[in-house]
Amino acid sequence: MHEKSIGIEVGGRHFNIPTVVDGVEIPKEDAVKFFMHGTLRPLGQYSTKEEADREARKRSREPEEY
């Protein structure tokens, strides 16, 4: 299974945040709301959108570790 995430920009920083929590896919709007409230940790934080997108693609290709 590949990781599912979205990219958002907050305060000039770019974040990749998960859209699957405890094995359940959540709506993008909820992921953003949880992130903004501090209850969802980002998968990464980057200076540029390009860097964030590159890392998201890389993470989605890596096999899960068990």
Side-chain angles (χ1 to χ4, degrees), residues 16 50 52-62:
N16 291 335
E50 292 76 19
D53 290 348
R54 180 178 56 248
E55 290 302 313
R57 284 190 301 273
K58 181 179 168 185
R59 288 179 68 103
S60 71
R61 288 192 304 263
E62 291 179 356

Side-chain angles (χ1 to χ4, degrees), residues 8-42:
I8 63 171
E9 181 182 357
V10 178
R13 299 288 295 168
H14 298 269
F15 297 87
N16 291 335
I17 58 174
T19 56
V20 176
V21 178
D22 295 329
V24 177
E25 189 165 1
I26 61 172
K28 293 175 184 179
E29 297 82 14
D30 287 348
V32 172
K33 180 175 64 174
F34 296 149
F35 172 73
M36 297 302 288
H37 282 51
T39 57
L40 185 64
R41 295 184 57 142

